[in-house]
Amino acid sequence: MTATQPVDGVERASTGPVVARALRLLEAFSDAHPTLSLSDISRRSGVPLSTAHRLVAELEAWGALERDARGRYQVGLRLWEVGALAPRGPGLRERALPYLEDLCAVTRENVQLAVREDDEIVYVERLAGSRAVGVLTRVGGRWAMTATGVGLVLLAHAPTDVVERVLDGPFTRHTPWTLTDPTRVRQALAATRVRGYAVSERQITDDATSVAAPVHDATGEVVAALSVVAHHGRPPVSVLAPLVRTSAAGVSHALAAGRPRRRHTNPQGGRS
Amino acid sequence: MTATQPVDGVERASTGPVVARALRLLEAFSDAHPTLSLSDISRRSGVPLSTAHRLVAELEAWGALERDARGRYQVGLRLWEVGALAPRGPGLRERALPYLEDLCAVTRENVQLAVREDDEIVYVERLAGSRAVGVLTRVGGRWAMTATGVGLVLLAHAPTDVVERVLDGPFTRHTPWTLTDPTRVRQALAATRVRGYAVSERQITDDATSVAAPVHDATGEVVAALSVVAHHGRPPVSVLAPLVRTSAAGVSHALAAGRPRRRHTNPQGGRS
């Protein structure tokens, strides 16, 4: 993160603080706070009101923010359009979706796809099977790495500095089974690397267990993780693991096969 | 759009040009160009290389851009996360999806949901039915308003200045049936308002016709349009129109019922 020094009413001549502050305003919005007043934005972002006023006007002019019928600000459709071009988000999802759907149809359980962003995981897709156990995840939502199957897979293949930061904690305990001891997390990561899949038993909710496997890109790097979240013990891990590994391998093959052929052209020009 | 005056090497003290230029860099990326070098970004955005260099570094530091294994830039996962909060994009989609899925299951045709952005439409969701005709649309893609069913619905309920700009043309002809005469477009808009649904016959491809109906918010304003795109004449419009209108009314009721209850909390904090 770039350091910012908000100084009300004083615009710095360098681009750094201004752009960083404009982007920081966007962080004021969240799933729990999708619409905000200008003073909400200022307060939540820590950017002084007069500066926020000017930057919000800029963001609105471009379409990164828009106003609802009551005049409150919300994230604009334009930002969603640009975000839809993120290869690690919708790009990955598009190529993985057929494999996720097959896995969901066969198991009738929850199927999830996630990537690592800094020291957390972000869910890129989630399909709910017809006999699926309740889960707390959301597409675009973040979660800690050690408590989930996909997180253990991604952490098992993360750079050492990421592993050490995560193992430094803190760990949030969700159930009596949540891993909060760094030594036990290290054992889980080692087991994940040896077996080729991760098992996260009852760590988030008492009744759910996830089994996750790595997705590789063409260079062999682990770029995502795919999981099934099922009722604990039904079906057993020995049944789920080969299915999850096969699906993850399918996605890896699809990624290695290169960019998908685009199914459309946009004759109006627009964003293409 | 805010006016920008790119002057290489000279940073303006006001926030306007800097933020606008940073956002303009994002516009260099498209479905056809998802990864770009720094010089590509500079050339496609019209922002001089030295300025682009500094602004790209800012955008990368925040996560709006990221680099792939070859060092080329792409839209970052962070931007997708923020974009996922856009009420008119994923927010609308989430509430509409059960109705879209029902309509798709009943008709086994393509079902589409779109909103208006400036003088164009943007597709927010598209489901492909099992007997669906080929379509050229993409989620997040833009299209002209007069050639599609959803576009006619949204234009029929747009402010006068939008209607006049669109009717000024130009019109892109895709098939012999594409509306390119402003008088005929006006007639189609009037018919859409009177009937409560729009019909776009064979305008984009020879073999497809779409039937679309408006989605209203709690205040009665038209905020989206929902369509079925089927083989021309099979099933007839008289069969499709009541189904589409009923589904659109269902989405309207869901919107009027207020924000959906959130199904999760994010105990790790993250973006919530």
Side-chain angles (χ1 to χ4, degrees):
Chain A
M1 184 65 66
T2 305
T4 57
Q5 300 164 2
V7 182
D8 199 1
V10 180
E11 294 300 332
R12 292 274 298 274
S14 83
T15 59
V18 173
V19 174
R21 266 182 283 177
L23 294 171
R24 192 138 58 97
L25 296 180
L26 298 176
E27 296 178 26
F29 296 85
S30 70
D31 193 44
H33 298 94
T35 61
L36 297 171
S37 70
L38 181 62
S39 57
D40 291 337
I41 295 173
S42 167
R43 184 175 42 78
R44 288 175 58 85
S45 64
V47 172
L49 194 60
S50 62
T51 307
H53 179 72
R54 288 193 298 277
L55 295 175
V56 161
E58 287 290 312
L59 292 167
E60 188 185 4
W62 185 78
L65 294 178
E66 53 190 36
R67 279 194 248 193
D68 67 10
R70 294 155 57 207
R72 289 165 66 86
Y73 292 95
Q74 58 193 29
V75 174
L77 195 70
R78 188 81 179 275
L79 208 62
W80 173 70
E81 289 182 71
V82 175
L85 297 169
R88 293 208 300 141
L92 172 65
R93 174 204 181 261
E94 188 184 344
R95 298 218 238 153
L97 195 55
Y99 301 91
L100 303 180
E101 285 173 343
D102 289 348
L103 185 59
C104 187
V106 167
T107 62
R108 293 189 285 149
E109 306 287 357
N110 294 294
V111 173
Q112 308 193 119
L113 181 71
V115 299
R116 182 173 66 83
E117 175 78 354
D118 302 326
D119 300 349
E120 296 179 304
I121 55 168
V122 177
Y123 286 97
V124 171
E125 184 54 287
R126 184 176 80 79
L127 303 179
S130 56
R131 68 173 173 198
V133 67
V135 294
L136 302 179
T137 52
R138 169 184 74 86
V139 170
R142 292 202 172 205
W143 209 267
M145 300 195 80
T146 56
T148 63
V150 286
L152 288 172
V153 165
L154 291 167
L155 192 58
H157 298 278
T160 310
D161 59 319
V162 173
V163 177
E164 295 308 319
R165 274 200 307 271
V166 170
L167 289 177
D168 270 352
F171 299 93
T172 303
R173 181 180 288 283
H174 306 291
T175 72
W177 294 275
T178 306
L179 294 177
T180 56
D181 172 1
T183 304
R184 288 196 55 213
V185 174
R186 281 189 202 278
Q187 290 166 351
L189 296 178
T192 298
R193 280 185 290 259
V194 169
R195 288 186 306 215
Y197 63 90
V199 181
S200 172
E201 293 188 296
R202 315 171 82 177
Q203 284 209 71
I204 300 283
T205 54
D206 277 358
D207 57 349
T209 284
S210 80
V211 180
V215 172
H216 303 264
D217 69 5
T219 70
E221 200 184 337
V222 173
V223 292
L226 189 161
S227 72
V228 164
V229 183
H231 288 89
H232 179 64
R234 290 175 292 136
V237 171
S238 59
V239 169
L240 291 176
L243 291 169
V244 173
R245 295 180 71 186
T246 304
S247 296
V251 177
S252 301
H253 292 314
L255 295 183
R259 288 190 64 215
R261 195 171 52 79
R262 294 290 161 179
R263 289 169 311 201
H264 79 292
T265 54
N266 184 340
Q268 267 72 31
R271 298 284 159 271
S272 292
Chain B
M1 184 65 65
T2 304
T4 58
Q5 300 163 3
V7 182
D8 199 1
V10 180
E11 292 302 332
R12 292 273 300 273
S14 83
T15 59
V18 173
V19 173
R21 265 183 283 177
L23 294 171
R24 192 138 58 95
L25 296 180
L26 298 177
E27 296 177 28
F29 296 86
S30 70
D31 194 43
H33 299 93
T35 62
L36 297 172
S37 68
L38 181 62
S39 58
D40 291 337
I41 295 174
S42 166
R43 185 174 42 77
R44 288 175 58 85
S45 65
V47 173
L49 194 60
S50 62
T51 308
H53 178 72
R54 287 193 299 276
L55 295 176
V56 161
E58 287 290 313
L59 292 167
E60 187 184 4
W62 185 77
L65 293 179
E66 53 190 36
R67 280 194 248 193
D68 67 11
R70 293 155 58 207
R72 290 167 65 86
Y73 292 95
Q74 57 193 30
V75 173
L77 195 71
R78 189 81 179 275
L79 207 63
W80 172 70
E81 290 182 71
V82 175
L85 296 169
R88 294 207 301 141
L92 173 64
R93 175 204 181 261
E94 187 184 346
R95 298 218 238 153
L97 195 55
Y99 301 91
L100 303 180
E101 285 174 341
D102 289 349
L103 186 58
C104 188
V106 167
T107 62
R108 293 189 284 150
E109 306 287 358
N110 295 293
V111 172
Q112 308 193 118
L113 181 71
V115 299
R116 182 173 66 80
E117 176 77 354
D118 303 326
D119 301 349
E120 295 179 304
I121 55 168
V122 177
Y123 287 97
V124 172
E125 184 54 288
R126 184 175 80 79
L127 303 179
S130 56
R131 67 173 173 199
V133 65
V135 294
L136 302 180
T137 51
R138 168 183 76 88
V139 170
R142 292 201 171 206
W143 209 268
M145 302 194 79
T146 57
T148 63
V150 286
L152 289 172
V153 165
L154 291 166
L155 192 58
H157 298 279
T160 309
D161 60 319
V162 173
V163 176
E164 295 309 318
R165 273 200 307 271
V166 170
L167 289 176
D168 270 352
F171 299 93
T172 303
R173 181 180 289 282
H174 306 291
T175 73
W177 294 274
T178 306
L179 293 178
T180 56
D181 172 1
T183 304
R184 289 196 53 212
V185 174
R186 281 188 202 278
Q187 289 165 351
L189 296 177
T192 297
R193 281 185 288 258
V194 168
R195 288 186 305 215
Y197 63 90
V199 181
S200 172
E201 293 188 297
R202 316 171 79 176
Q203 284 209 73
I204 300 282
T205 54
D206 278 359
D207 57 349
T209 284
S210 81
V211 180
V215 172
H216 303 263
D217 69 5
T219 70
E221 198 183 339
V222 173
V223 292
L226 188 160
S227 72
V228 164
V229 183
H231 288 89
H232 178 63
R234 288 175 295 135
V237 171
S238 58
V239 169
L240 292 176
L243 292 168
V244 174
R245 296 180 71 186
T246 304
S247 296
V251 177
S252 302
H253 291 314
L255 296 183
R259 288 191 66 214
R261 193 170 55 78
R262 293 289 160 178
R263 290 170 309 202
H264 78 293
T265 55
N266 185 341
Q268 268 71 31
R271 300 284 160 270
S272 292

